[in-house]
Amino acid sequence: ETLESDQAAVEVGLPNARCPSDHLPVAACFAPLPPQQLGLAAAAALGALVAGVEARQVAAWEALRVQMDAARTVAEAEAGVAVPGGRPPEPLVAHIRLRREAERTLRAEMREERQALVRGMSAGERDHADDLLMAEVGGALSWCEQAVR
């Protein structure tokens, strides 16, 4: 019976003598949709996109390492001989700080690129990316937070 078919409820409202509670039972039936499946071509394109981001980031990390190693050689030459067990000379300390900051910045850029990629995916693409990355890093969200090392 619907609320509208109860004349007392329509005239007086709830609660009333016939229905002393204003709590109405509500029922709903939900049918889950099947997961969105990607076609073979779309799955391959997504895998290539993820692999491309990964390859670009590995190359960027390696380029930073080469650049920072060369800068360390220069800093060590400027610093001269270090005292064993003492604080590193100032040029070397400055280089270490510079390297750490450059690595932090690059990691943040990589994280943002990965997050932008995942945010732009459809639900089906995210599901496929999760499947693709699950064994390696624990899924797409974990992949976003990881940085190349």
Side-chain angles (χ1 to χ4, degrees):
E1 183 178 348
T2 66
L3 184 61
E4 291 80 15
S5 66
D6 180 7
Q7 194 58 34
V10 172
E11 292 173 7
V12 179
L14 295 178
N16 61 36
R18 185 159 183 263
C19 184
S21 174
D22 61 353
H23 296 269
L24 296 176
V26 176
C29 182
F30 296 94
L33 296 174
Q36 195 178 25
Q37 296 294 318
L38 291 184
L40 291 176
L46 182 61
L49 188 60
V50 168
V53 167
E54 189 78 27
R56 260 193 325 279
Q57 290 184 352
V58 166
W61 193 261
E62 181 60 19
L64 178 64
R65 187 193 62 76
V66 167
Q67 177 189 358
M68 289 293 122
D69 287 351
R72 181 180 179 103
T73 302
V74 171
E76 287 172 342
E78 289 176 6
V81 178
V83 176
R87 178 179 165 86
E90 191 52 42
L92 200 50
V93 170
H95 166 73
I96 291 168
R97 286 185 183 134
L98 178 70
R99 182 179 197 135
R100 287 179 181 163
E101 182 58 33
E103 287 174 350
R104 259 192 304 272
T105 300
L106 184 56
R107 262 191 224 103
E109 290 169 2
M110 289 176 174
R111 186 178 306 111
E112 179 54 38
E113 181 181 13
R114 290 173 181 215
Q115 288 172 343
L117 176 65
V118 171
R119 276 193 306 266
M121 292 178 183
S122 69
E125 289 171 330
R126 267 193 308 275
D127 287 344
H128 183 72
D130 275 336
D131 293 343
L132 192 68
L133 298 165
M134 187 59 71
E136 187 179 334
V137 294
L141 292 179
S142 296
W143 180 73
C144 287
E145 296 304 318
Q146 264 192 340
V148 176
R149 293 191 183 258

